[in-house]
Amino acid sequence: MTRQPEDYELVERSLAGDERAMQEMFQRHHKKIYAMALRLTGSVSDAEDVVQETFIRAFRHLKTFRGDSKLSTWLCRIAINQSRDVYKKQMRTSPEKDVAVEPGQKDAVLKARLERALEVLPAGYREVLVMHDVIGMGHREIAEVLKTAEGTSKSQLHKARARMRELLSGSAA
């Protein structure tokens, strides 16, 4: 069994021009970035654009990655910024957008309600909720990505879940 290179090895090899290392970095992290972008933008095509732009920017600025945090944290930070830009653009250009419905979804109505509820959450709540409950990131990593305190991540998650319950129960204003 061949040992998989650590992320920092992939970074070093990529900086040296190794395209296979760049491909492996993409393969290792794109699904997580896509899942997060899909939930933050609510659109399959926008999520795909976020993934593409995230990796373009990451590879273009790889020399600025200092290794203070995990590569996945750094990539998530780039993706969050890209998702915010896309979301702001969506709100300016088309307040009504298609809800992303994945193939094989048993309850498309519930999914649509969840997506709409996510859309109206404040950006900070939405980002923490997606990173924690959808992507499975811990509060420490979320705090690194959002450049905030771990306690803030916990508080935002608690408030986001409470707001989602309100929205889904129909008692939201």
Side-chain angles (χ1 to χ4, degrees):
M1 187 167 130
T2 310
R3 179 184 74 85
Q4 286 205 342
E6 297 292 328
D7 280 341
Y8 72 89
E9 293 175 57
L10 292 176
V11 169
E12 288 176 5
R13 288 178 33 213
S14 294
L15 287 170
D18 183 344
E19 289 187 24
R20 287 192 329 198
M22 295 170 93
Q23 290 171 347
E24 189 171 338
M25 192 183 309
F26 175 82
Q27 289 300 320
R28 188 176 289 181
H29 297 286
H30 82 279
K31 288 179 184 173
K32 181 177 181 178
I33 298 299
Y34 175 78
M36 184 174 62
L38 179 61
R39 296 303 180 267
L40 293 176
T41 65
S43 162
V44 170
S45 64
D46 286 339
E48 290 169 348
D49 290 346
V50 166
V51 170
Q52 181 176 353
E53 190 61 31
T54 294
F55 282 94
I56 288 171
R57 287 177 185 254
F59 293 140
R60 188 178 297 148
H61 301 287
L62 200 54
K63 62 184 170 290
T64 67
F65 176 67
R66 298 183 315 240
D68 296 341
S69 62
K70 294 192 287 185
L71 179 64
S72 61
T73 302
W74 186 68
L75 291 170
C76 283
R77 180 75 212 156
I78 296 169
I80 287 280
N81 289 336
Q82 292 302 308
S83 295
R84 285 177 180 169
D85 291 347
V86 167
Y87 192 77
K88 286 177 194 172
K89 183 179 174 187
Q90 286 173 343
M91 292 299 103
R92 284 192 309 266
T93 59
S94 62
E96 293 185 31
K97 63 182 185 331
D98 294 332
V99 173
V101 178
E102 297 170 4
Q105 182 67 32
K106 288 184 180 180
D107 192 351
V109 174
L110 176 59
K111 178 152 178 52
R113 286 184 64 213
L114 284 168
E115 293 292 338
R116 278 193 293 274
L118 264 176
E119 285 177 18
V120 299
L121 279 181
Y125 290 2
R126 183 176 53 254
E127 291 164 0
V128 170
L129 184 75
V130 167
M131 284 189 280
H132 188 274
D133 290 357
V134 177
I135 306 300
M137 294 170 71
H139 288 290
R140 179 173 288 143
E141 188 173 7
I142 293 169
E144 285 181 41
V145 168
L146 297 178
K147 298 182 181 172
T148 188
E150 197 171 333
T152 301
S153 171
K154 292 176 183 179
S155 171
Q156 293 270 357
L157 179 62
H158 176 76
K159 291 174 184 176
R161 286 176 175 166
R163 184 69 179 132
M164 285 293 284
R165 280 192 292 277
E166 283 177 21
L167 292 167
L168 293 172
S169 73
S171 64

